[in-house]
Amino acid sequence: MIGRIVVAAVWLVFGVLAGQGAALASSPDAPSDKLLAYAARIAGDDARTRIVIDFDQKPDFEVRYIASPDRIVVDLPATAFGFAADTLAPTGLFSDIRFGSMDDASARLVLTAARPARLVTAEAVENEDGKGFRLVLDAELVPQQDFAALVAAQAWTPAAAPPPIDPAAAPVDPAASEFVIAIDAGHGGIDAGATGATSKTAEKDITLAFAKVLHDKLAKQPGIRAVLTRDTDRFLSLSERVVVARQKGAQLLISLHADTLRQGDIRGATVYTISDKASDHMAAQLAERENFSDTLGGVELPAETAEVNDILLDLTRRETQAFSISLAQAVVGSFEGQISLINNPHRHAGFRVLQAPDMPSILLELGFLSNKDDEALLLDPAWREKVADLLVEAVRRYRAPLVANGG
Ligand SMILES: [Zn+2]
């Protein structure tokens, strides 16, 4: 079993890797009055692009530049967006535009630059008729080195250091009397995830609804405490999800998803564990899409750290990996013959949310929103109950030999 000192060391390393990941635990109380952004427009070409967003009140905002990929991030107070996403379709200098909530107190606009750009104008202007304000953002093409200089010149630093380490509080022991399982509802806030082919339901809502059902079922199991990484429609970066799970003492992480594939005929559940090399093309594509969540959420990724040559960490990783695989097999075993599974239902790829070196983790694609049969099931409360029951059974199977061996 993994010693506490090792866990502390691992957590130290992971805390560094997690970078800005820890900022979320204390979001201030939700302000009662959100701003309303009620209309927007975009126009421009490869050299200049203008975005205008109409607000009911004057928006305070802050602009930041982030590299790799190059993005302009506009942070806003809590805002209700009353216009459709395609109102701000990628145009001119921008290849991707997202807006949405970050948490109860903040919202964000993320402009991914097709070519390096900077805002030459960023101002909230009162409308001439005295009704509301418009946020005017004028972007202009700049040389790549100028964009890099903008990024470098920012005094912006990650909001919080990794949480303090209390090794005694976080022993990884699958046979402990209280077994803590983190359920991670994929996507959220500005990152809606996939969209149902027929119902247009957002993946972030499906994962949250499912997570709550699973949470309640697991919580009823003796000796098990279930925690959610998010219980509202908010954005969490991938490393924040891991940090939150660890802060809550989780010994296991289950990340829930329901993505789309280009092949609409493919359906069924898939269980993923982490690996450097993807098991197949589909797994690689899915991991890339899941990892893109940080990009569209305006998250600054920590610079690639040098490979950590720590033998203890390596051993911990290997042990964690073995537990992750064992959990994946338990889930497949529990699902078999009960719900639809895709061929080779246990696959692996480089999902960033599964990166905790000391917390066994799986990512579960419950089904695919690109398949209409799967979509109907994903929206069916009875199916949700059934799958949650099967997952409870899987956790029991996973844990049984560990408990029997006394950990
Ligand atoms: Zn997803």
Side-chain angles (χ1 to χ4, degrees):
M1 202 34 59
I2 303 162
R4 289 179 177 190
I5 294 165
V6 179
V7 171
V10 164
W11 185 220
L12 252 176
V13 171
F14 184 70
V16 173
L17 293 176
Q20 70 163 73
L24 65 146
S26 55
S27 59
D29 289 338
S32 50
D33 55 332
K34 282 185 173 186
L35 299 182
L36 173 65
Y38 59 89
R41 53 216 164 267
I42 181 168
D45 54 32
D46 289 353
R48 292 184 72 95
T49 302
R50 164 173 282 197
I51 293 172
V52 179
I53 304 176
D54 294 312
F55 286 85
D56 63 337
Q57 306 162 58
K58 186 172 188 179
D60 292 326
F61 65 93
E62 197 180 333
V63 174
R64 284 186 288 120
Y65 296 89
I66 303 180
S68 345
D70 295 348
R71 283 156 291 166
I72 301 174
V73 173
V74 182
D75 278 319
L76 293 159
T79 302
F81 291 93
F83 52 85
D86 58 8
T87 312
L88 290 182
T91 302
L93 286 165
F94 301 115
S95 58
D96 190 89
I97 296 176
R98 307 279 168 149
F99 52 86
S101 64
M102 296 303 286
D103 56 32
D104 293 342
S106 64
R108 183 173 282 181
L109 173 69
V110 180
L111 312 169
T112 303
R115 309 171 70 191
R118 89 185 162 101
L119 294 183
V120 288
T121 305
E123 55 184 1
V125 185
E126 188 166 13
N127 287 327
E128 287 69 23
D129 61 5
K131 286 181 191 148
F133 288 76
R134 59 188 190 277
L135 178 64
V136 180
L137 306 170
D138 278 328
E140 193 177 83
L141 179 68
V142 292
Q144 184 67 56
Q145 64 265 32
D146 288 15
F147 188 88
L150 284 170
V151 173
Q154 290 176 131
W156 189 76
T157 45
I165 294 152
D166 178 5
V172 174
D173 181 358
S177 59
E178 189 186 49
F179 188 63
V180 185
I181 302 174
I183 303 155
D184 175 51
H187 310 277
I190 192 171
D191 170 21
T195 307
T198 311
S199 68
K200 305 294 173 212
T201 312
E203 181 185 359
K204 66 176 181 178
D205 297 328
I206 289 175
T207 60
L208 183 57
F210 192 93
K212 286 177 174 173
V213 172
L214 180 58
H215 169 273
D216 292 351
K217 285 193 188 289
L218 282 171
K220 286 192 190 120
Q221 299 298 307
I224 288 183
R225 186 157 62 87
V227 297
L228 293 164
T229 55
R230 70 175 179 97
D231 58 2
T232 56
D233 180 20
R234 61 168 301 173
F235 179 81
L236 288 174
S237 74
L238 298 169
S239 54
E240 279 172 338
R241 293 170 189 273
V242 182
V243 168
V244 171
R246 293 290 286 129
Q247 279 175 337
K248 295 185 175 187
Q251 290 138 294
L252 208 64
L253 175 90
I254 301 176
S255 187
L256 299 168
H257 289 264
D259 278 274
T260 51
L261 294 174
R262 225 166 285 143
Q263 308 91 317
D265 55 326
I266 296 185
R267 61 168 305 200
T270 328
V271 189
Y272 287 96
T273 49
I274 197 166
S275 72
D276 295 337
K277 257 186 90 177
S279 55
D280 57 282
H281 184 61
M282 192 181 100
Q285 275 186 321
L286 267 178
E288 195 178 309
R289 268 231 309 281
E290 293 302 349
N291 293 344
F292 189 64
S293 176
D294 280 350
T295 298
L296 61 83
V299 176
E300 187 171 28
L301 296 179
E304 288 295 329
T305 42
E307 200 49 50
V308 187
N309 280 323
D310 183 322
I311 194 158
L312 289 178
L313 181 60
D314 210 46
L315 286 170
T316 306
R317 276 221 177 87
R318 237 177 281 171
E319 187 175 42
T320 300
Q321 176 72 342
F323 282 127
S324 300
I325 289 169
S326 152
L327 175 64
Q329 288 166 345
V331 171
V332 170
S334 172
F335 282 3
E336 256 164 3
Q338 300 294 317
I339 65 159
S340 153
L341 286 163
I342 73 167
N343 292 336
N344 307 316
H346 176 196
R347 302 184 181 215
H348 44 90
F351 292 93
R352 205 178 288 142
V353 74
L354 305 179
Q355 69 184 331
D358 60 340
M359 179 171 58
S361 305
I362 60 166
L363 185 144
L364 174 60
E365 291 282 355
L366 293 158
F368 291 103
L369 278 172
S370 40
N371 178 278
K372 63 179 188 336
D373 296 323
D374 269 9
E375 185 184 11
L377 291 175
L378 287 161
L379 294 169
D380 176 7
W383 184 83
R384 212 178 276 162
E385 293 279 328
K386 178 180 175 181
V387 177
D389 283 333
L390 294 171
L391 280 171
V392 171
E393 169 62 18
V395 168
R396 204 190 55 74
R397 283 188 198 202
Y398 163 79
R399 238 187 129 207
L402 307 170
V403 175
N405 294 335

